[in-house]
Amino acid sequence: MIEATDIDTSYGGIQVLWDLSFSVSEEEGVVAIVGPNGAGKSTLLRVLSGIQPIDDGELTLWGEDIESLQPSDVVDMGFVHVSEERNLFNEMTVEENLEMGAYKRRENMESNMQEVYDLFPILEERSSQKAGSLSGGEQQMLAIGRGLMAEPKILALDEPSEGLAPQITDRMFEKIEAISEDVTILLIEQHVNKALSLAETAYLLENGEFVAQDTGQGLLESQHIEDAYL
């Protein structure tokens, strides 16, 4: 469970997030945060991951103050962040990358890996191939699969469709929807229609502030989205 109240955050001496308040629970399927480039979406995920400190406000993960936690503690508690950069170990194989995702979950590694392979069969076919030689779509699947190996309660995905061809993007959203049946997804995505169509709860972030909150469908049909994107 994430609880944030009046969060302020600066990056490089410039304030990026302003008075953000929101919550995410394990019972939600997909929570989407949309907004234009530079709105502060990726910074927000770095804050939730314990990488970026907050300047003011209150942020707790499962009742623990974020300022008392290291990023590894955040992962242990069940919040796993798959960044836009993917951060794969390019010289390691697909299987080795998945094993790295399970470094704190060794007891269930084999069964979790099989679940990842069931979700993304192409990864099983490529299991002995180096991650750096995969296509963009396969690398994104591997990044998400590695995140799932840590047994998240909340899986944060930052622009999972970035750089993917339209057909691969459609398949990626199908996989995200399937994952959300078991794991809460916190989704940042530029494909606004697709993200909001999946989301139970959605926020529009502009210039570091939430300017609208609704159900995904409600926000998709709102004047806020029309003003921001059309």
Side-chain angles (χ1 to χ4, degrees):
M1 167 70 91
I2 300 169
E3 289 283 354
T5 305
D6 298 330
I7 296 299
D8 292 337
T9 301
S10 298
Y11 191 79
I14 299 173
Q15 188 163 347
V16 179
L17 302 179
W18 303 74
D19 297 326
L20 294 191
S21 296
F22 65 100
S23 64
V24 179
S25 74
E26 296 171 39
E27 288 73 34
E28 297 179 90
V30 177
V31 177
I33 299 176
V34 299
N37 289 332
K41 303 185 299 296
S42 293
T43 297
L44 176 56
L45 290 194
R46 287 196 295 269
V47 167
L48 296 176
S49 301
I51 298 169
Q52 175 73 26
I54 63 173
D55 299 330
D56 198 9
E58 184 176 339
L59 175 60
T60 61
L61 277 68
W62 289 276
E64 292 286 334
D65 190 326
I66 190 70
E67 292 184 289
S68 68
L69 301 173
Q70 296 296 317
S72 58
D73 298 328
V74 173
V75 174
D76 285 346
M77 294 174 72
F79 183 88
V80 175
H81 174 194
V82 178
S83 72
E84 185 177 359
E85 294 81 11
R86 299 170 185 158
N87 295 322
L88 298 174
F89 300 99
N90 287 330
E91 294 304 311
M92 297 172 66
T93 67
V94 166
E95 184 170 319
E96 288 167 341
N97 269 269
L98 293 176
E99 289 174 351
M100 291 297 291
Y103 74 103
K104 291 262 182 110
R105 297 287 188 269
R106 294 293 180 183
E107 66 278 5
N108 299 322
M109 186 173 67
E110 289 187 10
S111 60
N112 289 342
M113 189 176 296
Q114 189 56 55
E115 288 182 10
V116 170
Y117 285 154
D118 290 344
L119 182 66
F120 299 117
I122 191 65
L123 295 183
E124 187 167 19
E125 294 178 28
R126 304 276 195 269
S127 61
S128 60
Q129 189 171 323
K130 288 186 177 181
S133 68
L134 300 177
S135 70
E138 291 164 353
Q139 288 186 355
Q140 187 62 69
M141 293 174 195
L142 179 55
I144 293 173
R146 188 180 61 184
L148 290 171
M149 292 294 290
E151 299 181 359
K153 300 173 185 174
I154 298 176
L155 181 66
L157 303 179
D158 191 355
E159 303 287 2
S161 70
E162 178 71 24
L164 303 186
Q167 187 176 16
I168 302 300
T169 295
D170 290 340
R171 267 187 259 157
M172 183 61 65
F173 277 98
E174 291 173 3
K175 299 299 185 181
I176 290 171
E177 185 174 18
I179 294 168
S180 71
E181 295 178 6
D182 300 308
V183 178
T184 296
I185 303 291
L186 181 57
L187 178 63
I188 287 178
E189 179 56 56
Q190 284 296 318
H191 283 84
V192 175
N193 287 356
K194 294 181 183 298
L196 294 182
S197 295
L198 285 182
E200 295 181 23
T201 305
Y203 298 85
L204 174 59
L205 186 66
E206 292 184 348
N207 298 316
E209 299 180 271
F210 286 139
V211 297
Q213 174 191 353
D214 204 333
T215 63
Q217 192 62 37
L219 190 57
L220 183 60
E221 296 170 355
S222 72
Q223 188 66 40
H224 288 287
I225 291 296
E226 184 173 343
D227 292 342
Y229 288 97
L230 300 180

